[in-house]
Amino acid sequence: MAGLLDYQHVEISFNGNAVVHDVTFQLYPGEILGLVGESGSGKSTLIKAAMGLLGSSGMVTRGDIWFEGKNLPDLSDREMRHICGEKIGMIFQDCGASLSPIRTIGEQIVESMAAHRKVDVTTAKAAAMELFDKLNLKDGERVWNSYPFELSGGMNQRAGIAIAMLMNPVVLLADEPTSALDVAVQRQVVEEMMSVRDAFGTAIIIVTHDIGVVSAMADSVLVLRDGRVMEYGRAKEILENPRNGYTRKLLSAVPRLRRG
């Protein structure tokens, strides 16, 4: 059965040097897939490839990334603009840094929605407030009117999740979404992403080096080392009975963030 997002033998190179080698996996509707590995293992590169965010020096040099019958690396910038944001959303490692410092959260939400469909401020705000409420983001009015520097890192991160979700994408790519947050806020963000999946049926790929986050939320796990797949399968099996020595080493090094 083909996945919603289907990576087939993907190789990614920068300036002609391959950094991701022969990676194959499928993401199914409503599934949460954890991409795990140490820094530099190629995790973020894999999901940026689906969004066309490899920069001028990076490219998919072999294999395919299929989404809705289209091979994403083959699409034009114009075609990718129709998909990115609206159908495939992305949460960055530091949403505060990816937000404009000179515009309010509300202004940025309106802009992101208007890029894909006709929308007025009233409609955008109503949609945002409803989502803030679903994500248990208290004081939505204040968040809407605030500049990023007026909010905590955790609030900016959750606002970033809301912005990514407002177009109701079928796939959400989350690049280390909890790494800059303290443990209490990490748990909130994990719970909010789980609620997004439950509320909208969104399929999620979460990139993390934190096995605790994976054990709390993932249905399946792909372990990467130096751009190569070490292990791939159901989360429960891999976390409880890893077959690969590298996976065992990762698991032994990190405390678990248990499911609520």
Side-chain angles (χ1 to χ4, degrees):
M1 181 170 93
L4 181 61
L5 188 65
D6 195 351
Y7 279 63
Q8 290 292 330
H9 304 290
V10 170
E11 177 186 272
I12 302 169
S13 302
F14 287 90
N15 296 319
N17 298 314
V19 297
V20 169
H21 312 270
D22 195 25
V23 172
T24 295
F25 67 87
Q26 290 78 41
L27 179 72
Y28 295 98
E31 178 185 19
I32 298 179
L33 168 67
L35 277 183
V36 184
E38 294 170 297
S39 295
S41 60
K43 307 183 301 294
S44 298
T45 299
L46 263 182
I47 62 169
K48 284 177 179 174
M51 298 288 283
L53 296 176
L54 294 175
S56 57
S57 62
M59 66 184 299
V60 176
T61 39
R62 284 195 185 133
D64 305 300
I65 304 173
W66 293 99
F67 177 74
E68 294 188 341
K70 297 173 180 174
N71 188 22
L72 296 177
D74 289 346
L75 299 185
S76 67
D77 290 346
R78 185 167 173 272
E79 289 172 301
M80 285 299 288
R81 277 197 296 273
H82 284 295
I83 291 172
C84 296
E86 186 169 10
K87 294 186 174 182
I88 303 177
M90 185 147 182
I91 301 168
F92 294 92
Q93 184 169 357
D94 180 359
C95 285
S98 62
L99 294 168
S100 168
I102 57 170
R103 306 182 59 210
T104 64
I105 299 294
E107 288 170 337
Q108 295 182 66
I109 285 173
V110 173
E111 181 185 27
S112 70
M113 293 180 77
H116 295 284
R117 64 178 74 150
K118 283 189 174 178
V119 66
D120 58 31
V121 174
T122 306
T123 308
K125 186 173 182 180
M129 291 301 161
E130 184 181 352
L131 187 58
F132 285 171
D133 188 52
K134 278 183 177 162
L135 294 179
N136 200 27
L137 192 57
K138 306 294 187 199
D139 207 2
E141 190 74 32
R142 182 176 75 85
V143 173
W144 178 270
N145 291 314
S146 293
Y147 293 91
F149 67 84
E150 296 178 305
L151 300 174
S152 68
M155 290 288 261
N156 274 324
Q157 198 66 2
R158 281 180 285 172
I161 292 174
I163 290 170
M165 281 310 307
L166 271 167
M167 299 307 296
N168 222 348
V170 292
V171 174
L172 184 60
L173 306 176
D175 188 7
E176 298 271 12
T178 64
S179 64
L181 305 174
D182 65 46
V183 172
V185 181
Q186 275 187 28
R187 185 178 288 279
Q188 286 177 317
V189 169
V190 166
E191 286 171 356
E192 283 158 16
M193 291 180 69
M194 297 287 282
S195 74
V196 158
R197 190 266 298 266
D198 295 341
F200 302 106
T202 313
I204 299 172
I205 297 179
I206 180 163
V207 165
T208 182
H209 62 273
D210 188 339
I211 297 292
V213 169
V214 169
S215 65
M217 54 186 306
D219 301 303
S220 52
V221 175
L222 188 148
V223 182
L224 271 183
R225 183 185 190 186
D226 297 331
R228 300 180 192 278
V229 177
M230 296 290 104
E231 203 155 355
Y232 172 48
R234 305 306 296 167
K236 184 174 169 57
E237 292 169 20
I238 288 177
L239 294 173
E240 292 180 2
N241 187 29
R243 296 178 181 176
N244 184 276
Y246 177 71
T247 311
R248 286 197 291 272
K249 186 181 119 187
L250 276 182
L251 287 172
S252 67
V254 187
R256 306 290 179 87
L257 177 69
R258 296 287 180 193
R259 288 184 191 266

